[in-house]
Amino acid sequence: MAKKYGKKYLAAAEKVEAEKLYNLDEAAALVKEIDFAKFDSTVEISFNLNVDTRQADQQLRGAVVLPNGTGKDQTVVVFAQGDKAKEAEAAGADVVGGADLVKRIADGWLDFDVAIATPDMMAQVGRVGRVLGPKGLMPNPKTGTVTFDVAKAVEESKSGKVTYRTDRDGNVAVPVGKVSFDADKLAGNIKSISNVVIKARPSAVKGTYVQHVSIASTFGPAINLDITSL
C-alpha cells in the first residue's frame, strides 16, 4: 500500500528538487525553510555506506563532539566510585552511583540519555547490559563512555557529543542540531560528522564508499547532499 502524506509534507516536498544534489549551505538553509512542525524539530543526517556489516572490520562505531552542540540537554549518568564519583559530580553528571545505580536500572529506571562508566565498574554494569544494550545506552570504549577520565566524558556529553554506528544495511543516522539553529551552525555540525564518517572508511571497502547522503527534519522530506561539498 502506498504511503499517504499530509498536505504540509507535500507542500514542503514541492520545494525540494528530488533529483538535485544540494551543496551543504543550500541544504542547511532549505531544511529550515521547509520544516512545518509545531515544535523545534531535530535535523538528522543519514549516510548510506558501501560496507559489509557482516564483517567486523567494516562496522563503524564512534563518537564526535559537534562544534555547535545538539540543541538538546543530555541527562548523563555515571557508574563510578570514590574519587571518580566525585569528579563526575563536579563535572555536572546528573546521577552518579555504583551498585545502587545498577539496581535502580535493573528495577526499570531508564530516564537518561548517556551512560558513562569507569573500566573497573564494567563488571557491575554488565549485569544490566541486556537492558542498556537495546536502548543504545551501554557504555563502550569506542564511544569514549568507558574511561577513567569521567570529567572529560561528562563535559563532552553535556556539550554536544553524538555517537554514530552502522546499522545492518550500512546506514548511519546522526542528529546534527535543531531547525532553530542558524544555517551556518547546522552546516558546521554536518561538516564535522561528515568528516569523521568519511575518514572512518574501512580499508577493506572497494569502490565508492559513501553512496548517498541526505538531511531531513523530524517530519520533513529528505534533501539529498552533494558529497563533494561536505
Side-chain angles (χ1 to χ4, degrees):
M1 182 180 292
K3 186 175 181 179
K4 293 184 178 181
Y5 294 102
K7 291 181 180 179
K8 291 182 179 179
Y9 178 93
L10 294 174
E14 287 181 358
K15 298 180 180 180
V16 181
E17 296 180 44
E19 303 302 319
K20 179 177 178 178
L21 297 178
Y22 289 82
N23 70 43
L24 179 54
D25 291 336
E26 286 180 314
L30 184 57
V31 76
K32 290 170 54 65
E33 177 188 338
I34 64 175
D35 180 71
F36 55 86
K38 294 182 179 179
F39 57 90
D40 193 6
S41 297
T42 296
V43 177
E44 186 174 83
I45 187 168
S46 298
F47 301 85
N48 178 245
L49 307 176
N50 174 29
V51 293
D52 182 356
T53 55
R54 294 172 299 179
Q55 309 301 319
D57 63 351
Q58 294 189 45
Q59 297 174 8
L60 274 63
R61 184 169 189 176
V64 60
V65 179
L66 298 178
N68 300 303
T70 62
K72 178 183 178 182
D73 293 329
Q74 299 274 62
T75 299
V76 179
V77 304
V78 178
F79 298 92
Q81 296 177 324
D83 290 342
K84 291 300 175 182
K86 293 177 182 177
E87 288 179 25
E89 290 172 351
D94 297 281
V95 179
V96 181
D100 56 331
L101 180 54
V102 171
K103 183 180 185 305
R104 186 177 177 186
I105 291 170
D107 289 341
W109 182 72
L110 286 169
D111 192 18
F112 55 92
D113 303 296
V114 180
I116 296 165
T118 53
D120 58 307
M121 290 296 298
M122 286 305 293
Q124 292 193 51
V125 178
R127 298 172 189 170
V128 286
R130 291 184 178 179
V131 178
L132 298 177
K135 299 290 186 179
L137 294 171
M138 188 68 179
N140 189 296
K142 291 183 178 180
T143 59
T145 50
V146 176
T147 177
F148 280 118
D149 194 350
V150 291
K152 179 181 178 182
V154 170
E155 289 165 2
E156 287 183 342
S157 295
K158 288 288 189 178
S159 64
K161 184 177 184 179
V162 293
T163 59
Y164 64 89
R165 67 183 301 178
T166 43
D167 65 16
R168 65 181 182 180
D169 296 317
N171 300 309
V172 173
V174 186
V176 292
K178 299 286 188 177
V179 292
S180 60
F181 281 23
D182 292 340
D184 61 338
K185 289 186 176 182
L186 277 177
N189 282 352
I190 292 167
K191 187 86 171 177
S192 180
I193 184 62
S194 296
N195 286 340
V196 171
V197 171
I198 290 170
K199 288 179 180 178
R201 174 179 178 143
S203 58
V205 170
K206 306 299 181 184
T208 302
Y209 168 52
V210 182
Q211 305 273 39
H212 179 260
V213 185
S214 65
I215 62 170
S217 59
T218 303
F219 295 135
I223 301 168
N224 299 322
L225 288 175
D226 180 351
I227 297 169
T228 64
S229 71
L230 300 176

